[in-house]
Amino acid sequence: MTDILQILILGLALGGVIALMGSGLSLVFGVMRIVNLAHPSLIICGAYVSYWAFKLWGLDPIATLPIAALIMAAIGVLLYRLMFESQAKSARYSEMTVLLTFALAMIVEGFLGAAFTNTQRVTSPDYATDAFFIGSLFIPKGQFYAGVVSLAIIGALTLFLNYSRLGYAIRATTQNREAAELLGVNVNLISMVAFAIGIGLAGAAGSLVSFVFSFFPAKQWEWIAMLMSVVVLGGMGSVLGTVVASLLLSVVAAFVGTWVGATWSTMTFFLALFVILLIRPQGLFGEKPELA
Amino acid sequence: MSELLQVTNITAGYGDGPAILDGARLTVEPGKVHCIIGPNGAGKSTLLKAICGMLTIRKGDVVFKGERLNGLRPDQILRKGICFVPQERALFPKMTVRENLRMGGYVLDDTKLRDRRIDEILERFPVLRERADQHAGTMSGGQQQTLAMARTLIVKPDIVMLDEPSLGLAPKVVQEMFDIMKMMSKEGVTVLLVEQNAMMGLKNSDWGVVLDLGRTLFEGPAEAVLADPRIQELYLGGRKVA
Ligand SMILES: Nc1ncnc2c1ncn2[C@@H]1O[C@H](COP(=O)(O)OP(=O)(O)O)[C@@H](O)[C@H]1O
Ligand SMILES: [Mg+2]
């Protein structure tokens, strides 16, 4: 029984972090209908911000999270203007943008590799190696804090999307771009804002990831598959779905990791992606694809 | 001049594509119900999209209250007083009825005024009031169309343009939609609608506009258009008038 509770807690904490990693990807897909393959590489950028801030000045990665988020959001604005604004009128927008984000992912990896080498890094504040003990339960502080901060950020994002004017406009654009435009929403501006928020969320996730996982530039390839599976299971574009799917898959992966074997733990995500696409492509909260 | 909106021989198309409209014109007079009819693919929807600023007008003019609208964006044209309800997918399916209405007042800066108008609309349309907190996508076709039409009233527009509001609805429900349109026009909202069912549309309108192959064949009082032999001709070959 304690065993199960123990695995559950570890799975949920990691699931929270993965939910934050995926939420930006999901938001961007919802509004812009593009799969941003560069999302994990941008998470890694955020991770380096917090890593170096800790290494050089001893700043706590949770404290530098807002800075990483802001830097990445600003980069998001630049990327949007550079990559998507010019493509908006292209008839092959979807193909072009997928290829562009793929190219971006490799460019970012190249730059990060050149600047920081391919050494595995991990930010090491005291709590990263500490734990709470409740009876026979053991809760690593780093994962616990990261999970809690992630869920708090997602909570704030949800409030923002549901109750602010800008949030209304983002949701409206996600659900029906044409209707939103006809009601006076500047959908291009909203796309840019949503993209910037999505990349800002990548930066925020990066700060947390930096002390939960070890990372290096090429780590993105492992993460893109993992994030795709939570975003697809949740229903492309549904932030709530992404959260539920992240928690669900992480818990399953934690059980698989303990009972079947550690190598099978990540396989849970990849298998899930494959199976979901075959049997329920709209995911948990997504809409049924329309028959064209 | 008594016309509210005057479209004179416009040419328009999608992106860099061929001209879909070429020689489309129409006259809209205040307070009346206007109906654009014409065979499938005639360019009826395209004409409404050109008027509301979704397409670039390449030639000709759209003049509203004496002012040229050519080149304005949809949000600018909405603020001028022309509201467009596109065919079928006009709503936000995963927003509640109330949230949809709030989006309808997106351009209103005065949120108190917006909320008051939302309350008025919910008061007037019991079907919507009963479903105020239900997702729009879960309602029946007629209820969704009612919401789409009612939503336009929040900005108190001069002209409401409706693209095939009867599409996919049962005959009884279609009549309800026309009744709402008549009510709107009585209250001073000018209606410009596109209708696939020419007979039905014209019977419920004051003014008819006949469009074919992207150009206006003729326009006139609805009864006159209905009686015109050219209509029969246009709809020959499997296309029904009624
Ligand atoms: N988004 C679009 N892009 C390119 N061509 C379009 C688009 N929508 C409609 N068309 C073309 O414009 C023509 C008129 O279409 P439409 O205005 O929808 O006709 P109607 O509403 O009268 O049935 C058709 O030939 C159609 O193929
Ligand atoms: Mg049409």
Side-chain angles (χ1 to χ4, degrees), chain B residues 31-184:
Chain B
K32 291 188 175 162
V33 178
H34 307 71
C35 181
I36 304 173
I37 61 163
N40 221 337
K44 303 181 296 295
S45 301
T46 307
L47 178 53
L48 296 190
K49 288 181 199 166
I51 295 172
C52 82
M54 289 169 75
L55 302 176
T56 315
I57 293 167
R58 298 171 190 172
K59 252 192 276 173
D61 285 314
V62 175
V63 177
F64 174 62
K65 290 181 175 173
E67 186 187 352
R68 264 179 101 229
L69 298 185
N70 301 39
L72 296 186
R73 293 189 312 264
D75 58 300
Q76 294 171 313
I77 290 177
L78 175 67
R79 283 174 215 262
K80 300 262 178 220
I82 301 179
C83 194
F84 174 43
V85 180
Q87 192 176 314
E88 287 181 290
R89 298 200 46 204
L91 299 177
F92 305 107
K94 291 196 164 183
M95 283 189 176
T96 64
V97 168
R98 195 186 294 278
E99 287 177 323
N100 266 278
L101 292 172
R102 245 178 235 159
M103 279 310 298
Y106 185 78
V107 293
L108 297 179
D109 294 322
D110 183 347
T111 54
K112 287 223 179 68
L113 175 73
R114 180 199 67 190
D115 291 343
R116 205 163 52 234
R117 288 188 183 164
I118 290 174
D119 289 339
E120 278 167 27
I121 286 167
L122 291 176
E123 199 59 43
R124 275 174 56 182
F125 295 94
V127 267
L128 301 183
R129 189 176 60 230
E130 286 154 17
R131 293 166 182 77
D133 298 313
Q134 190 176 322
H135 278 184
T138 62
M139 299 197 299
S140 74
Q143 290 161 355
Q144 293 197 23
Q145 190 59 44
T146 304
L147 174 57
M149 291 198 279
R151 192 178 62 183
T152 65
L153 299 176
I154 293 174
V155 289
K156 298 237 190 262
D158 295 300
I159 301 181
V160 168
M161 301 196 295
L162 305 165
D163 195 353
E164 299 204 32
S166 67
L167 196 76
L169 303 181
K172 188 175 142 279
V173 185
V174 170
Q175 194 51 54
E176 283 174 28
M177 297 306 120
F178 279 111
D179 293 343
I180 295 175
M181 278 178 244
K182 278 184 197 152
M183 184 182 79
M184 286 164 67

Side-chain angles (χ1 to χ4, degrees), chain B residues 197-225:
Chain B
N197 184 331
M199 187 76 90
M200 179 88 190
L202 290 171
K203 272 186 181 153
N204 287 282
S205 306
D206 305 304
W207 190 259
V209 180
V210 184
L211 201 70
D212 189 28
L213 302 171
R215 50 187 292 269
T216 302
L217 292 183
F218 60 101
E219 59 177 329
E223 316 86 75
V225 172

